[in-house]
């Protein structure tokens, strides 16, 4: 059947339908004539154009046609122009990248650091006074509290058997019964390491007596005993050793001292050797640090120069001078800063309760490792020349919260900011009662520590040394200025015995 026939049948079909039922008739008669875009048609009849099978459809150019077109001169020139533009653009971006790399400031290589350079050390010299339990188990139970303080190392003891001034009773490898057992010690080591805290054991021989190494004639025998004891304790997992009186043993028996150092400091695992001396002259301490070759040396330098002098009329110029002398003579990774300790007592008793927070900021901000005695974080004081107990759950707990919070914040900053971990040290301002110094490293944020030891408020004008006009308060020992606020360095106000730690970004 032809297409014309099919169309005629469709027309008939529509005409045969009742006019009222035909589409689009609106009741009109079937033979009414209506206009249509294609001409006049009977109402109800629709002409549909059916495309022929041979109607042309565009299917694109064939391969041969494309090759023919592509070879024309116009397209050849276009392709070459696009190719040249591509390579010119690529070479331009490469040149720009090279210029940026060459002009950009180069990062300084990071210094070699050990675990004790990354945060504070915390000394527990009197185990019985540290916790309610009064033994090594009690110290282990407080490991969470130490972890919250962000301490990197616990300096424990001495805990070995040694009656005062009786060398015959010395047993380096035996733990005093009142302190605990070897199993408790192993458990403490395990728990501390899980918390990321290293443990340093104080093995000062005659720690209850007057002379750390007993009488002169005993030094050789004691040093020989210590050598074998060191191997035993290092096998138990300790991460370092602390010894008082290192000036004496290193000078009297230098060959034995060399062996002691080698046992502690050599090996794949880097262990810490801390020396403790009662010397207070900065250059004397620096020379001893060189000759003894200990990793850190605790001394009385800050106690003699950065704490109140007897009789009033205190001047803190010596504090800045002592710090400068040690810093200029030593690599800062070998410097340690402390006030007090197992022998000299707590920070609050040495500087007074009003200067505890200021001194905490000082120790944390100086270039080197800060070392604290237990309870320094809450302003614990000595009582009747005996070590007081920690009041973990006392009624005064709320009063110590602010001190401890400052300690935690300082410790956290000290452990994460490169300028505070290993940055350079520059004194910006110094007077009898005020001090300001800068810690800066490469392109890291700068930290400016400012101190006022005086009992009255001061206004400092800190300018020059590439200082900006303003800085942000990171920490303050007082409520004003508040943390996060901006202060003007040309008119910086500090309250009585106040310290602030400010920061500002690096700018090329």
């Amino acid at each position: 059947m032809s297409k014309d026939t099919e169309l005629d049948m469709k027309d008939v079909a529509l005409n045969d339908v009742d006019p009222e039922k035909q589409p689009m008739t609106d009741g009109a008669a079937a033979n009414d004539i209506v206009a249509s875009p294609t001409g006049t048609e009977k109402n109800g009849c629709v002409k549909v154009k059916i495309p022929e099978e041979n109607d042309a459809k565009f299917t694109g150019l064939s391969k041969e046609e494309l090759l023919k077109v592509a070879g024309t001169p116009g397209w050849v020139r276009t392709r070459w122009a696009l190719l040249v533009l591509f390579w010119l653009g690529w070479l331009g971006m490469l040149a720009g990248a090279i210029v940026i790399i060459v002009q950009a400031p180069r990062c300084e290589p990071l210094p070699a650091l050990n675990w004790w350079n990354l945060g504070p050390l915390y000394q527990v010299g009197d185990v019985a006074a540290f916790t309610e339990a009064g033994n090594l188990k009690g110290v282990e139970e407080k490991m969470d509290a130490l972890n919250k303080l962000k301490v990197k190392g616990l300096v424990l003891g001495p805990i070995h058997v040694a009656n005062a001034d009786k060398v015959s009773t010395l047993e380096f490898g035996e733990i005093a019964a009142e302190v605990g057992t070897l199993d408790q010690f192993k458990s403490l080591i395990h728990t501390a390491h899980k918390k990321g805290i290293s443990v340093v054991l104080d093995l000062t021989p005659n720690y209850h007596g007057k002379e750390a190494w007993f009488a002169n004639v005993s030094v050789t025998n004691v040093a020989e005993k210590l050598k074998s004891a060191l191997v035993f304790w290092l096998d138990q997992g300790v991460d370092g050793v602390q010894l008082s009186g290192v000036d004496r043993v290193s000078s009297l028996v230098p060959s034995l001292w060399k062996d002691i150092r080698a046992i502690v400091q050599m090996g794949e695992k880097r262990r810490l050797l801390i020396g403790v001396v009662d010397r207070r002259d900065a250059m004397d301490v620096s020379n001893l640090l060189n000759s003894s070759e200990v990793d850190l040396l605790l001394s009385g330098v800050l106690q003699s120069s950065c704490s109140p002098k007897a009789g009033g009329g205190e001047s803190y110029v010596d504090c800045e001078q002592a710090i400068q002398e040690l810093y200029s003579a030593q690599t800062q990774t070998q410097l340690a800063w402390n006030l007090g300790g197992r022998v000299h007592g707590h920070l609050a008793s040495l500087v007074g309760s009003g200067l505890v927070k200021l001194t905490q900021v000082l120790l944390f901000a100086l270039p080197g490792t800060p070392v604290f005695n237990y309870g320094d974080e809450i302003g614990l004081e000595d009582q009747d020349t005996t070590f007081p107990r920690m009041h973990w759950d006392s009624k005064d707990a709320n009063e110590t919260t602010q001190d401890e919070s400052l300690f935690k914040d300082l410790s956290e900053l000290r452990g994460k900011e490169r300028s505070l971990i290993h940055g350079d040290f520059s004194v910006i301002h110094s007077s009898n009662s005020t001090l300001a110094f800068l810690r800066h490293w490469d392109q890291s944020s700068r930290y400016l520590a400012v101190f006022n030891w005086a009992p009255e408020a001061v206004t400092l004008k800190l300018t020059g040394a590439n200082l900006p006009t303003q800085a942000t308060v990171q920490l303050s020992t007082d409520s004003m200025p508040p943390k996060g606020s901006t202060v003007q360095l040309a008119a910086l106000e500090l309250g009585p015995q106040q310290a602030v730690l400010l920061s500002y970004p690096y700018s090329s």
Side-chain angles (χ1 to χ4, degrees):
M1 181 180 297
S2 68
K3 289 184 172 58
D4 292 337
T5 305
E6 291 177 357
L7 290 174
D8 293 338
M9 291 179 65
K10 292 177 182 177
D11 290 342
V12 171
L14 287 171
N15 289 330
D16 292 340
V17 179
D18 187 274
E20 294 183 356
K21 297 181 180 180
Q22 289 186 19
M24 300 184 292
T25 62
D26 194 20
N31 57 355
D32 288 346
I33 305 299
V34 298
S36 93
T38 57
T40 56
E41 304 291 343
K42 290 184 179 180
N43 187 26
C45 295
V46 179
K47 282 191 175 182
V48 180
K49 182 178 179 181
I50 304 299
E52 299 292 337
E53 292 181 356
N54 58 355
D55 283 352
K57 293 182 180 180
F58 180 74
T59 58
L61 298 177
S62 65
K63 180 178 180 183
E64 291 76 11
E65 291 173 325
L66 285 172
L67 291 174
K68 183 178 179 179
V69 174
T72 60
W75 278 108
V76 171
R77 288 193 298 270
T78 301
R79 287 201 305 274
W80 275 108
L82 292 174
L83 184 62
V84 170
L85 287 174
F86 168 78
W87 283 110
L88 286 176
W90 186 87
L91 290 173
M93 289 188 293
L94 178 61
I98 292 174
V99 170
I100 292 173
I101 293 172
V102 170
Q103 292 183 346
R106 296 184 179 181
C107 295
E108 294 186 40
L110 295 176
L113 300 174
N114 294 293
W115 61 262
W116 56 85
N117 302 128
L118 303 177
L121 303 182
Y122 189 91
Q123 301 183 96
V124 178
D126 189 337
V127 173
F130 183 62
T131 69
E132 303 93 328
N135 55 26
L136 293 175
K137 184 64 177 177
V139 177
E140 180 184 356
E141 291 171 349
K142 298 304 179 185
M143 209 58 66
D144 277 337
L146 298 184
N147 187 43
K148 291 177 181 178
L149 293 179
K150 307 294 183 183
V151 302
K152 294 299 179 182
L154 167 65
V155 182
L156 183 66
I159 59 173
H160 59 270
V161 173
N163 293 336
D165 302 319
K166 294 183 179 179
V167 67
S168 59
T169 65
L170 176 62
E171 294 293 342
F172 278 118
E174 183 179 344
I175 296 176
E178 65 272 16
V179 175
T181 65
L182 182 59
D183 286 339
Q184 288 180 345
F185 182 80
K186 290 180 179 179
S187 180
L188 184 154
I189 290 279
H190 177 71
T191 301
H193 286 173
K194 285 176 61 178
K195 300 292 182 181
I197 300 174
S198 299
V199 178
V200 176
L201 184 61
D202 192 326
L203 286 174
T204 299
N206 187 29
Y207 62 98
H208 286 307
K210 296 180 180 180
E211 296 288 343
W213 291 79
F214 297 97
N216 287 343
V217 295
S218 305
V219 173
T220 300
N221 292 335
V222 172
E224 286 285 2
K225 275 189 171 184
L226 178 60
K227 285 172 56 178
S228 58
L230 286 173
V231 176
F232 169 77
W233 286 113
L234 293 176
D235 286 343
Q236 306 309 314
V238 300
D239 304 287
V241 172
Q242 177 170 291
L243 295 167
S244 297
V246 294
D247 48 346
R248 186 177 176 202
V249 65
S250 62
S251 61
L252 291 178
V253 287
S255 60
L256 286 174
W257 175 245
K258 184 177 180 180
D259 292 341
I260 290 170
R261 285 195 301 103
I263 294 172
V264 177
Q265 296 175 325
M266 302 302 175
E268 295 181 2
K269 183 180 179 181
R270 192 70 170 89
R271 297 184 177 93
L272 171 63
L273 178 58
I274 304 176
V276 183
V277 293
D278 199 23
R279 302 189 184 190
R280 302 194 172 196
D281 179 76
M283 291 312 299
D284 188 23
V285 170
S286 179
N287 292 333
L288 179 59
L289 182 56
N290 292 332
S291 62
S292 65
E293 298 186 64
V294 294
D295 297 304
L296 299 177
L297 185 62
L298 304 183
S299 67
V301 169
L302 292 190
Q303 185 176 337
S304 65
S305 60
C306 299
S307 58
K309 310 297 187 299
E314 297 89 350
S315 171
Y316 291 88
V317 173
D318 292 344
C319 180
E320 181 264 331
Q321 293 175 347
I323 293 169
Q324 284 276 39
E325 286 182 1
L326 277 174
Y327 176 77
S328 61
Q330 297 293 333
T331 303
Q332 67 166 288
T333 53
Q334 293 180 287
L335 295 177
W337 306 103
N338 67 295
L339 275 105
R342 182 176 61 85
V343 174
H344 295 290
H346 290 85
L347 182 63
S349 297
L350 296 171
V351 303
S353 58
L355 289 171
V356 169
K357 293 180 181 180
L358 180 149
T359 308
Q360 287 180 4
V361 177
L362 178 67
L363 294 177
F364 272 109
L366 285 173
T369 301
V371 183
F372 295 91
N373 196 11
Y374 76 95
D376 284 349
E377 72 277 12
I378 58 173
L380 196 65
E381 296 186 24
D382 300 325
Q383 300 170 352
D384 301 327
T385 69
T386 62
F387 289 102
R389 293 184 179 275
M390 293 282 287
H391 302 292
W392 298 98
D393 303 310
S394 72
K395 63 180 180 180
D396 300 325
N398 291 333
E399 298 178 10
T400 63
T401 300
Q402 290 185 347
D403 292 339
E404 190 173 15
S405 177
L406 177 68
F407 188 98
K408 290 178 181 178
D409 291 342
L410 283 165
S411 189
E412 185 173 3
L413 276 177
R414 173 60 176 75
K416 71 179 183 180
E417 294 295 333
R418 288 183 175 179
S419 290
L420 294 176
I421 296 174
H422 52 74
D424 296 329
F425 170 84
S426 304
V427 174
I428 303 299
H429 164 84
S430 179
S431 72
N432 284 347
S433 59
T434 57
L435 174 65
F437 59 79
L438 184 65
R439 299 295 311 281
H440 54 97
W441 175 258
D442 198 19
Q443 300 175 47
S444 300
S445 296
R446 274 69 172 122
Y447 280 83
L448 183 62
V450 192
F451 307 87
N452 175 29
W453 278 274
E456 60 274 343
V458 297
T459 300
L460 301 181
K461 183 178 181 180
L462 303 179
T463 58
N466 296 322
L467 289 176
T469 58
Q470 59 187 26
T472 302
V473 178
Q474 291 293 332
L475 292 168
S476 174
T477 59
D478 203 346
S479 58
M480 296 298 290
K483 180 178 179 180
S485 63
T486 300
V487 294
Q488 302 299 315
L489 296 183
L492 179 61
E493 297 181 2
L494 290 182
Q497 299 182 331
Q498 184 182 6
V500 293
L501 187 61
L502 311 173
S503 71
Y504 59 90
Y506 162 82
S507 61
S508 57

